[in-house]
Amino acid sequence: MSGSVSTVAVRFRGRAWFVERRTLVLAGVLVVVMVGLAFVGLSYGSTWSTPGEVLAALTGTGDSSVVIVEWRLSRVAAAIVFGAALGVAGAIFQNLTRNPMGSPDVIGLDAGAYTGTLVALTVLAGSSVQLAFSSVVGGLVAAAVVYLLSRSNGLSGLRLVVIGIAVNAMVTALNSWIVLRAELEVAIAAVGWSSGSLNGVDWADLTVPFTVIAGLLAVMAFAAHTMHQSALGDAVAVATGVGLDRLRLLLVLIGVGCTATVTAVAGPIVFIALAAPQIGRRLARAPGIPLLPAALTGAVLLQAADLIAQMLLAPVSLPVGVVTTAIGGGYLMWLLAQEVRRT
């Protein structure tokens, strides 16, 4: 390999992270795109707000503060934070499986989290705490089933993905059965939830999820270097002192926690966790699956998809999951074709 990779040391509380200069430049570009999309999201509604009105509302001096700050800003913030969480979750599982299809929505974790949500809606009272807890438990159970079934003769990324796809199909069938057995009102709410939507999200729904996601991403930042060491291969990771079993358990908990937290609030939003890590990796030209580009790409993708969902059939606002599913189907076919070509 010719030439050298230019890196920048980022220090926080005595700990240093070495980031490639190209990754930092890409991060800056994605942040600018994110801010631009956020400004469009704050301006768009039943009537367009001018840039002056948006800035005045954000500073608390405008007449449209309630509409822009209370309604639109919460939705924009949810798209950014949830998109970043899904991007990181996808990067975690794609690093664990060493497979670009190793995404929570492909290997059944989204479906498992949704099962937990359905249990909370149909059996329990369906409070926000119950939804969050049940969603995490459902995702962890699905992850445990996939992991245990994949451990025969050593953990194989391809086998995990294939088994995950089978588990996803079975759990999706179970979810359909639960919805069919539920009362009509609950079934209607559950079907709407299954589409994945940011419609009606307000600040009261976001305080706890944002806190949980912030904590998970902070832990992930400290585990990122070790995760990338393990992606080089089990032998290399063990030789450098990485405890693989403990690391994999931690990564699964973080990945499921991110996915389930989003699902508990917005329902299962597919495609973002699958595509964001790979798009971020290609833009950064990185050998592995870097977390920062994955998170920022996920945020940009979910913002863009939500704007499309709002504008496509305006004034009717579609669930964002409808848009991500439509785009994700084409992306998945392209990804499968690439994998077949490699083999």
Side-chain angles (χ1 to χ4, degrees):
M1 181 176 176
S2 61
S4 59
V5 177
S6 177
T7 61
V8 176
V10 179
R11 297 184 181 275
F12 177 73
R13 292 187 177 181
R15 188 183 179 98
W17 286 269
F18 292 92
V19 184
E20 292 185 15
R21 191 176 300 275
R22 180 182 177 84
T23 299
L24 284 180
V25 172
L26 173 63
V29 172
L30 289 174
V31 168
V32 170
V33 174
M34 191 189 310
V35 171
L37 289 172
F39 207 84
V40 175
L42 293 174
S43 301
Y44 181 76
S46 55
T47 58
W48 279 90
S49 300
T50 65
E53 289 174 333
V54 171
L55 291 175
L58 293 177
T59 56
T61 59
D63 297 331
S64 304
S65 296
V66 173
V67 173
I68 293 174
V69 175
E70 297 298 326
W71 299 349
R72 297 178 188 173
L73 183 58
S74 59
R75 182 170 187 148
V76 169
I80 292 172
V81 176
F82 290 170
L86 292 173
V88 168
I92 288 172
F93 285 103
Q94 288 178 17
N95 272 296
L96 279 174
T97 61
R98 298 166 200 159
N99 191 306
M101 289 183 61
S103 166
D105 42 356
V106 173
I107 63 176
L109 306 191
D110 273 16
Y114 180 53
T115 304
T117 301
L118 287 177
V119 171
L121 288 172
T122 56
V123 178
L124 305 176
S127 67
S128 58
V129 174
Q130 291 172 343
L131 287 172
F133 179 76
S134 300
S135 181
V136 172
V137 171
L140 287 173
V141 170
V145 170
V146 173
Y147 181 75
L148 292 174
L149 292 176
S150 305
R151 279 190 62 84
S152 176
N153 299 321
L155 185 66
S156 164
L158 179 60
R159 184 165 58 244
L160 188 147
V161 170
V162 172
I163 290 175
I165 291 172
V167 170
N168 185 43
M170 291 187 289
V171 175
T172 300
L174 173 63
N175 292 342
S176 298
W177 180 81
I178 294 174
V179 171
L180 288 172
R181 299 285 296 177
E183 295 180 4
L184 180 60
E185 291 182 1
V186 175
I188 292 173
V191 170
W193 197 289
S194 69
S195 300
S197 176
L198 297 179
N199 296 339
V201 171
D202 58 29
W203 290 114
D205 302 319
L206 300 177
T207 305
V208 174
F210 279 12
T211 303
V212 172
I213 289 171
L216 292 171
L217 295 185
V219 174
M220 191 61 240
F222 284 92
H225 178 68
T226 310
M227 181 189 71
H228 290 305
Q229 279 182 291
S230 69
L232 297 174
D234 292 357
V236 175
V238 171
T240 54
V242 176
L244 285 177
D245 290 336
R246 288 196 308 273
L247 175 65
R248 284 169 178 162
L249 176 60
L250 174 64
L251 294 179
V252 167
L253 289 174
I254 295 173
V256 171
C258 288
T259 301
T261 302
V262 174
T263 302
V265 178
I269 300 175
V270 299
F271 166 66
I272 304 297
L274 174 68
Q278 291 300 313
I279 294 174
R281 181 180 72 84
R282 284 171 168 78
L283 291 174
R285 296 180 186 173
I289 311 290
L291 292 176
L292 183 59
L296 295 176
T297 303
V300 168
L301 286 176
L302 189 52
Q303 280 183 282
D306 189 46
L307 283 172
I308 293 171
Q310 292 180 66
M311 297 177 179
L312 196 60
L313 295 179
V316 176
S317 184
L318 293 173
V320 67
V322 173
V323 177
T324 60
T325 300
I327 300 172
Y331 176 82
L332 185 58
M333 286 189 290
W334 175 82
L335 191 59
L336 285 169
Q338 293 290 105
E339 289 296 298
V340 169
R341 220 174 269 135
R342 283 178 193 165
T343 57

